[in-house]
Amino acid sequence: MRRFVADKATRLIKRHSTCSPCLVSHSRLHSHPPLSHPTLPFSSFPQSSISSSLSFFISALHPFSSANFNSMSSNYSTTPVTLQTINPKVLKCEYAVRGEIVTLAQKLEQELKQNPDSHPFDEILYCNIGNPQSLGQQPITFFREVLALCDHPPILDRSETQGLFSADAIERAFQILDQIPGRATGAYSHSQGIKRLRDTIAAGIEARDGYPADPNDIFLTDGASPAVHMMMQLLIRSEEDGILCPIPQYPLYSASIALHGGTLVPYYLDEATGWGLEISELKNQLETAKSKGLCVRALVVINPGNPTGQVLAEDNQRKIVEFCKNEGLVLLADEVYQENIYVPDKQFHSFKKISRSMGYGEKDISLVSFQSVSKGYYGECGKRGGYMEVTGFSPEIREQIYKVASVNLCSNISGQILASLVMNPPKVGDESFESYNAEKDGILSSLARRAKTLEDAFNNLEGVTCNRAEGAMYLFPRIELPQKAIKAAEAVKTAPDAFYARRLLNATGVVVVPGSGFGQVPGTWHFRCTILPQEDKIPAIASHLTEFHKKFMDEFRD
Amino acid sequence: MRRFVADKATRLIKRHSTCSPCLVSHSRLHSHPPLSHPTLPFSSFPQSSISSSLSFFISALHPFSSANFNSMSSNYSTTPVTLQTINPKVLKCEYAVRGEIVTLAQKLEQELKQNPDSHPFDEILYCNIGNPQSLGQQPITFFREVLALCDHPPILDRSETQGLFSADAIERAFQILDQIPGRATGAYSHSQGIKRLRDTIAAGIEARDGYPADPNDIFLTDGASPAVHMMMQLLIRSEEDGILCPIPQYPLYSASIALHGGTLVPYYLDEATGWGLEISELKNQLETAKSKGLCVRALVVINPGNPTGQVLAEDNQRKIVEFCKNEGLVLLADEVYQENIYVPDKQFHSFKKISRSMGYGEKDISLVSFQSVSKGYYGECGKRGGYMEVTGFSPEIREQIYKVASVNLCSNISGQILASLVMNPPKVGDESFESYNAEKDGILSSLARRAKTLEDAFNNLEGVTCNRAEGAMYLFPRIELPQKAIKAAEAVKTAPDAFYARRLLNATGVVVVPGSGFGQVPGTWHFRCTILPQEDKIPAIASHLTEFHKKFMDEFRD
C-alpha cells in the first residue's frame, strides 16, 4: 500500500499538465511543465524526488486517510475534485515541519493516551518546531497583562484591577487604546496595521539600528509567513522566475515558491565553516540559474539561521548587500530570530542597518525585513503577530503591496499590539522592568545552556557532527548513516534521514525533522532538533538520544 | 497626471506577457494572455476595464504616491522591481472596498484633523465596509471577558477577579484553557485549529442545522478571507478554470480569483425580484463559459447577500444544491452573515442543512461553508477569527487542504477561541445570559431599524430605487444617473458611480463604495452603503444624502 501511494504521487507529479475533468485541451496554455523540465529547481535538488513521494506517503499515515485510503477515496467517485484535477502547485508544495514524522507522533500520542504502556516512553517530545510555549515556556507577564486589558477595556477604571495588574501595564494599555481609532480593538485597522502602533515599531527599529525607520514602511501581518507569501506573490510571475534560497532552508520558502509557481534556486551553506554563506557560491548558483533561462528576482537570507543556527558576521552581511545591489536582486531578510543569540562572540545586525552603514539609502537597494512575535524570548506563536519592513520600492510598487494586503483587510489586532510591545518592552525605571528583565534573561540564558548541552550530546555520538547553535532555536546535526541503514530506508521507499527520525521517534518519543525536509548536500544526512524542551528534561533527552543512536548503529553498522 | 496614471495602467494590463528585466524570452511558457483573450472573465464583464484603470488611478491619491508620483518613482530607477516586472496577477487584482474613495476619505480625515473647518462636515462616516466596532458598536461583554482571562490565566485564581468578571466567563475560561494542550494560548495549535474548540464549533453547527457536523471538517482561519483564498488556490490551475460568482459580488472573490490566475464567470442577480438568484441564469452562464473553453470548478453563493442584502428562500437553495450536484461544481457558501437577518418572513438556512435535508450526504456533494467572527451581532473584525466547514472531499484532497493550512502553521488562538464562543454563546440559566441576550437583541433590532430608515431614505430620492436589506449589513441602491453626469464622469476618466460617490464624500463626509467595485448589469449604476453608523446618526445621514442628491440632480439633470 505504501508503494501504491508513493508511486501514485510520483505519477501525479509527472502528469502536471493534464486537466482531465475538462473536455477542452489546455495544453496550449498550460504553464506547468513536467518535473523533468530543465529550469525547474528540484531537478538540481536531488532530495526532492524522494521527499515528493514522502509528502504523499504521509497520506497513508494521516488521520483523514489512515483508515482505508483506497476504499474511502473510491466512495467519493461522484464528487468533482480529485488529486488529478487540483492545482498542481498545491500538489507540489511540501512542508516537512508538520509532515510525516509529526503525523506519526500525533498517532503515537493518541495511543499513549489510550494506553500509557503502549510505547517505551511516557510522552512525545516535540522537537520538530519552534513552538516554545507548547513545551512549557511561560509568556512574558507584562505583554499578557497589556493584551488582557486591551481585550476588555472596561476593567481599566476598576479599583480591583490595580491589585491584579502592574501599574505600567495599565498605563500602557491606556496608551495603546488611545492609539487605536475609536479605541476599537474589535475593528478592522488600516491594512498595514494601526498607524500609531507602526510608529512605535518604527521607533523600536530606529533604536535597534541607529538609522531612521518609517512607519509607512511597516506592514503588520499574522506572523511572518503571510508577509513572505505576499512578497513571493508580488515577485513570481512564472516558473521562470527564480528565488535564491539557502540550503538547508526553512521550508516555508520552498513551500511558498511552489505555491506561487516559481523556481527555488538553491545556494548551499558551507557546513564545514559553521554553515558559512559564501558569495562565490551565490555567484555560481546565480550564473547557473541564468544559464538555464531563469530570471532570478530575489535572495532569501535567514539570519540567525533556520535550521542551521549560525549568526552571520557583519563583514559577510556587507558582501551580501553588495551582491544584491550589483545583481539587482531584492534582499528578503528573515530576521525573526534577532533576539535569539547565544554566543558572546556574535551579535545580530539587521540588513537594513548594514546597508545604511554602507551608505545605501531608500533608493539604492530593495530590502524586506521579516520579524515575528513567535520567536525571540517571547515565543508567542499562537498570537500570530509580525511585520515586514519594506524599503527600496517605488511608490507604485508599494501601492501594489498595499492593495494585496487590503484584500485580507488587516492582521489581528492582538498580534499588532504584541508586535508593538515586543519592539518597545518595559524600560529601566518602569514598575515591570525588573520582573520583565528577569523573565527575559531566564529564558535566553536557559536556551543557551540547552543548546550547548544538546550540541555536546550530538557531537559525542558515533558518526555525528553538530555545529554550535549561535542563535535561533535549532541544532542541525549531520549523521554518517551506514550503507546498511540507507538500504533499509530505500527498501521502505523513504529517505534515510526520515528512516532514522522515524526510528528515533518510535524508540524515544522525540520528534525531529529529517534534513531532507530542509534540503542538504546530496548524499549527506541531517535532522533538525529544537533546543526548546524545558531545561530539566534536556539530560533525559540527551541520554535517550545516545542510547537510541548506539542501538541503531549496532543494528546497521556495516 | 490622472490621465497619465489611468492610461499607463491600461497599457500595463494590456502588456501582461512582457518580462522585460530578463534577457530570456518567456513567451513560450507565459501563461497570461492579454485581456482581449476570449476566455478571460472581464471581456464579458464591462465594468472592469473602467475599474481596472480606477484601481491605478488610486495611485494618484494614495499617501505613498500623492506627493509627486512621477519624480518619486523615477528616483527608484536603480531598484529592480517595477510595475512592468511584478506578477501581472497582482496588477490585475482589485479590491474596491478599500479603494479610491476610501483613500480620498482618509485624506479628508487628515485635513479635518488639521483644520475642522476645511470641509462642509465635521466627520468622515465610513459606510464603505462592514466594520461595526469602528462606528461605535460595542463588543459582546461575555466574549471579551473570556478572551481577556484566556490572555492572562494567572488572574483566574485571584479573588479580585470575581469582582471584575462574571462567574460564567471565569468558568468558561477555565474550560477553554483545559481544552488547549498545555493550556498554552501562546503556542501554535493543530493547523486546523485546536481540536476541542473544533468540537465546540461542530456541536454549534449541529445545534443550528439539526444534522451532524464533524470537527475534522472544520478549518479555523484568520477571518473568512484566508479560507476563501485556500479554496481558490486548491481549485484554480490556470485562467481556463472558472468560478461562478454572483454579480454584484463581494470583491474578495474577484480579487482572489485574479490573484490565483483563474477566471471569474459572472452570473447576474435579478434586481427586479429583490436580487433573486435564477437557476436559468446559472445554466446560461455555465454554458457560455463552457463554450469559451472554460472548465468551471465551483459556484460561489453569498447568503445573506453582500452587497445585496437578500436572504435566499429554502426552495431556491435546494435548486442551487441540485444544480451544483448535477453540474459537478463545488458549492462555496459564504454564510458569514448567518446571524444578520432583519425581516420576519426570512430565515437563514445553511447550505449543509439544505443538502442534508435533501438526502445528500458527505459523498454526494462537495460543499464549503465560510463563517467569520467579524459579522453577526458580534462584529469582531479585528480579532480575525473564522472557519470553513469542508464536506464532500476525499481524504487525499483533505490531506492537500491540510498541507496548505500547515504552511501557515495555524490561525491566531484568540480568534479560534472567539469562533468557539460565537458558536456556543451563553445559554438560558447562565449568569451572563440576560445581559448577553440584551446586548445581542439591542444590536440586531437596531440594525433592522437602521436598515429600514436608510432604505426608505434612498427610495425617496429622485431616480433611486433600493431593495430592502433582508440580511447582512448593506443596502445597494440603484441610481438613474443623468447623461450629463455620465459625460462629466467620463471627462475625468472615472466610472459614473465612482463620480457620484466621490461627490457624495466631498459634500457630506459619507463614504460609500461604487457599484462598479462589485460589478453590476452594464449601464446600471449603484453604490453600497452599510447600515452600521450608530442609530442616533442615521437621521442626519439620511438628510445629508437627500440634500446632496437633490443638488447633484439639479446640477446634472438633462
Side-chain angles (χ1 to χ4, degrees), chain B residues 12-191:
Chain B
L12 283 167
I13 287 190
K14 289 228 167 69
R15 271 176 29 215
H16 269 182
S17 48
T18 44
C19 299
S20 29
C22 307
L23 302 170
V24 289
S25 154
H26 291 182
S27 51
R28 178 170 43 86
L29 277 178
H30 213 293
S31 64
H32 311 287
L35 265 183
S36 58
H37 188 292
T39 66
L40 275 185
F42 289 148
S43 54
S44 63
F45 191 17
Q47 290 322 310
S48 96
S49 55
I50 295 172
S51 48
S52 302
S53 324
L54 266 183
S55 74
F56 289 87
F57 172 69
I58 297 166
S59 318
L61 294 166
H62 194 279
F64 291 154
S65 39
S66 53
N68 47 356
F69 186 96
N70 293 314
S71 59
M72 277 183 79
S73 44
S74 62
N75 295 350
Y76 285 80
S77 50
T78 64
T79 56
V81 185
T82 68
L83 281 182
Q84 288 83 351
T85 65
I86 63 168
N87 179 357
K89 294 171 187 164
V90 168
L91 214 49
K92 210 172 99 189
C93 161
E94 293 164 25
Y95 190 66
V97 172
R98 292 206 158 184
E100 173 197 23
I101 305 292
V102 181
T103 309
L104 173 57
Q106 287 163 348
K107 188 169 153 287
L108 300 185
E109 196 166 31
Q110 285 309 313
E111 292 168 2
L112 277 177
K113 272 191 194 140
Q114 285 142 22
N115 169 14
D117 306 327
S118 55
H119 295 283
F121 44 82
D122 352 316
E123 64 172 336
I124 300 291
L125 279 164
Y126 287 97
C127 301
N128 59 297
I129 185 167
N131 192 9
Q133 294 189 30
S134 72
L135 295 174
Q137 181 175 309
Q138 290 308 301
I140 298 295
T141 306
F142 177 82
F143 294 165
R144 290 303 193 97
E145 286 182 321
V146 176
L147 287 181
L149 292 165
C150 290
D151 266 342
H152 193 44
I155 65 173
L156 275 166
D157 304 313
R158 299 280 297 278
S159 58
E160 300 95 322
T161 305
Q162 315 292 330
L164 283 175
F165 297 83
S166 62
D168 53 342
I170 296 172
E171 191 192 337
R172 183 71 75 95
F174 272 117
Q175 279 173 20
I176 288 173
L177 287 168
D178 290 342
Q179 295 173 340
I180 301 177
R183 303 166 66 92
T185 55
Y188 294 126
S189 70
H190 184 287
S191 294

Side-chain angles (χ1 to χ4, degrees), chain B residues 199-214:
Chain B
D199 293 342
T200 306
I201 290 168
I205 295 171
E206 243 173 80
R208 180 194 70 196
D209 293 347
Y211 292 94
D214 181 346

